[in-house]
Amino acid sequence: MATRTAEELLALGLRDRWYPLCPSGTVNRGELTRIERAGEKLLLWRDSAGVVHVQEDRCPHRGARLSLGVHMGDRVACNYHGVQVDGDGVVVSVPGSPGCALEGRRALRTFPAEEHAGAVFAWFGLDEAAEPKPLQLPDPIAGGEWDAFPCYVEWDAPYGYSLDNLLDPMHGAFLHRNSHTMFGGKREAVFQIRAIDDGFVFEKTDQRGVNFDWVQLTEAGAQWVTLDIPYPETAGPGGAFTIVAALCAINETQHAAFFWRCRKVSGWERDSWRVLYRNRLEARHWAVLEQDREMAEAMPLDAWDRENLYQHDIALVRMRRLLRSEARRQAAVLAAPAAAPATAAPVPAPTR
């Protein structure tokens, strides 16, 4: 991939990560979909079997937009000169010059892609030829005993602002005070950070199960944020309401986000939860999310440069330090010159 500075990686998203790009329903059979994610212009399409492909929206011939081309079932044809590319990025036909050197070449950057929990995920690797890490889903969106509704948004704010918001449990007692779920608890607290495998938990030391009291950040091939919101009994079976969040920068000033709303329910309880969510709870949850959107989009772009943080913000400090360290490492890898090809050792002269 192209060289990027550490600051660009922080703004657009670290590499060697899986990112959720869009809802699965955004990519329809027979259509070509253009989106921008992590600073990349992307083409999404489904082949005749319904498998989704994520590729650079750039014809390998002259750089024209493939998204303006023609869907041909298991390949895409550029509208400019008819060059045809398959789902692996291989040029399968050059109608204007059959048999030319471009045919048969894997010439289009193609991103490993998977679909889970109603979302299209893609792997953005430092090394385009390397195999991606397995995509490990958190239990609440992996199925089984859990049920989840995906909630997707696109906001006009840097993705780091949403990440800050998720790692800030204290804002629930203020910004969301009038919510049906976050009206309880104290407005002051002392927090601690507890290390776990692949991340950390940020939690109040003296309150649990009352408000937005803890949050977990996990970095395991993808970045996940998990938290619990207590539910009143009138919200049906399943106990606490779990949110699993994953973010993806669109560009430096916009981002996309999934907030899966999850409960551990099965059988008749699952049916009850789904009816209750659709008819009573979903609109309330959107109202809470709208409060977050308004706050994030109104923040100045230099917010991080003029902060005065205190004890409630130690998770932000920990998270930013980890991201900056990894961004510097990745920027150094991208800036390093390609390794020279190995030279064969000289063959010794035969002895007589």
Side-chain angles (χ1 to χ4, degrees):
M1 63 169 290
T3 298
R4 294 191 188 276
T5 66
E7 289 303 314
E8 288 173 331
L9 288 167
L10 283 173
L12 297 173
L14 298 176
R15 269 39 188 178
D16 285 349
R17 299 286 191 282
W18 287 97
Y19 286 106
L21 305 183
C22 61
S24 290
T26 301
V27 190
N28 298 311
R29 287 179 181 251
E31 297 180 2
L32 303 176
T33 302
R34 175 183 169 88
I35 64 173
E36 182 180 5
R37 294 293 183 272
E40 306 278 359
K41 307 295 192 298
L42 301 174
L43 166 68
L44 280 63
W45 58 284
R46 295 184 184 277
D47 61 26
S48 58
V51 176
V52 69
H53 299 280
V54 178
Q55 298 176 309
E56 188 175 10
D57 190 13
R58 180 187 180 91
C59 178
H61 172 218
R62 293 269 300 279
R65 281 194 193 180
L66 282 174
S67 58
L68 296 176
V70 180
H71 191 298
M72 300 182 66
D74 290 319
R75 62 183 68 178
V76 174
C78 180
N79 241 357
Y80 204 12
H81 297 92
V83 173
Q84 299 173 18
V85 186
D86 68 12
D88 293 322
V90 176
V91 177
V92 293
S93 177
V94 180
S97 182
C100 74
L102 185 56
E103 285 190 345
R105 284 179 51 197
R106 187 169 186 173
L108 178 65
R109 186 179 184 193
T110 299
F111 300 80
E114 297 183 13
E115 289 187 85
H116 301 281
V120 176
F121 290 82
W123 170 265
F124 291 76
L126 278 176
D127 181 351
E128 298 174 17
E131 288 294 315
K133 294 181 180 178
L135 176 54
Q136 302 176 16
L137 300 177
D139 287 344
I141 64 171
E145 297 180 294
W146 287 84
D147 191 45
F149 289 94
C151 169
Y152 174 77
V153 300
E154 293 181 16
W155 289 352
D156 292 328
Y159 92 95
Y161 288 5
S162 276
L163 189 55
D164 284 352
N165 185 68
L166 288 165
L167 292 177
D168 171 24
M170 206 62 210
H171 85 269
F174 293 88
L175 181 62
H176 306 312
R177 187 71 176 183
N178 295 323
S179 161
H180 72 295
T181 56
M182 285 180 277
F183 57 85
K186 300 183 295 183
R187 291 197 179 194
E188 67 280 343
V190 176
F191 286 86
Q192 66 180 10
I193 288 182
R194 176 164 49 89
I196 60 171
D197 292 343
D198 302 318
F200 64 83
V201 174
F202 183 56
E203 57 195 352
K204 296 175 183 177
T205 60
D206 58 350
Q207 180 174 291
R208 192 79 168 195
V210 179
N211 202 300
F212 177 8
D213 295 330
W214 64 272
V215 61
Q216 177 176 312
L217 176 71
T218 307
E219 292 270 3
Q223 185 182 73
W224 305 103
V225 180
T226 307
L227 57 101
D228 272 359
I229 302 296
Y231 254 20
E233 292 184 1
T234 55
F241 167 60
T242 297
I243 296 176
V244 174
L247 312 174
C248 183
I250 296 175
N251 50 45
E252 292 88 343
T253 60
Q254 296 175 305
H255 70 278
F258 276 90
F259 303 95
W260 285 273
R261 289 111 187 275
C262 317
R263 293 190 91 173
K264 196 171 187 179
V265 286
S266 58
W268 71 266
E269 290 188 339
R270 176 174 298 192
D271 296 335
S272 176
W273 145 248
R274 295 187 71 83
V275 170
L276 189 61
Y277 179 83
R278 288 302 192 194
N279 288 280
R280 290 186 53 192
L281 303 177
E282 185 174 19
R284 298 179 184 182
H285 298 159
W286 276 106
V288 171
L289 203 56
E290 181 66 8
Q291 294 173 333
D292 290 324
R293 183 197 65 79
E294 290 179 346
M295 195 61 62
E297 291 191 347
M299 291 183 70
L301 293 178
D302 66 347
W304 285 9
D305 299 329
R306 301 176 63 181
E307 293 176 318
N308 293 281
L309 304 180
Y310 53 92
Q311 204 271 343
H312 292 174
D313 305 310
I314 56 177
L316 275 61
V317 175
R318 171 74 67 88
M319 174 268 297
R320 293 178 190 174
R321 185 181 299 130
L322 292 172
L323 294 185
R324 286 193 176 105
S325 176
E326 179 62 10
R328 287 193 292 268
R329 186 195 71 81
Q330 292 190 6
V333 171
L334 292 173
T343 302
V347 180
T351 57
R352 294 183 182 271

